[in-house]
Every structure is written in structure tokens, then in C-alpha cells.
Amino acid sequence: LAACGLHVFAGARRVEALQELCRGSSGLIEPVPIDVCDEASVEAAVRHVVERAGRLDVCVCNAGVAAGGPVALQEMENIRQIFDTNVLGVLRTVRAAA
């Protein structure tokens, strides 16, 4: 999207992980801290985008974690974390962006 000249806000729990991505973007990619498992963090990230850009046109939800093996062999807490990130994280983000 940035290669097409669009302003992109890239979210991550650790924005320093986005430095290389942002470095080559001529300022078109802006890092935004977000933890999709934290509703307040998601709302703050969306608020930041709207304040900086005036509106949010497209929201791509691609946060996710993997089980690292068969789900049936995972601890329930690990499964809860996966569900919270991969399912509820998408719902939190879409609801905040709506």
C-alpha cells in the first residue's frame, strides 16, 4: 500500500520491530503501538490513526500466534491466549475501527 503512495499505519506490540519496514517507506509507514489482546490499547491505536490521518479507510487485521503443535496437546492457557489473539483480537480491532 505504501508503494502505491498511501499512508500506512503499521501496528505492533513492539514498535521497534517495525523500524526496518518504516525506514524504507519515505515516511509513508508509521508505526503504532497496539496489543490486540487489550481493548484500551486497540482503541488508543485507532484513535491515533484517526487523529493523524483524519479517518481510517482500511483496517487489515493480521495479528496472530500459532500453537506450535497439535491443539489437542496444548495447555488450556495457551489455547486461551491463541483464541484471544487470533479471534477476539480481530473482533476488538474491527469494532474499534467501525
Side-chain angles (χ1 to χ4, degrees), residues 32-54:
V32 178
I34 184 171
D35 179 350
V36 298
C37 294
D38 179 346
E39 194 164 344
S41 173
V42 173
E43 289 172 358
V46 170
R47 205 169 32 252
H48 173 80
V49 170
V50 172
E51 287 170 1
R52 295 274 297 132

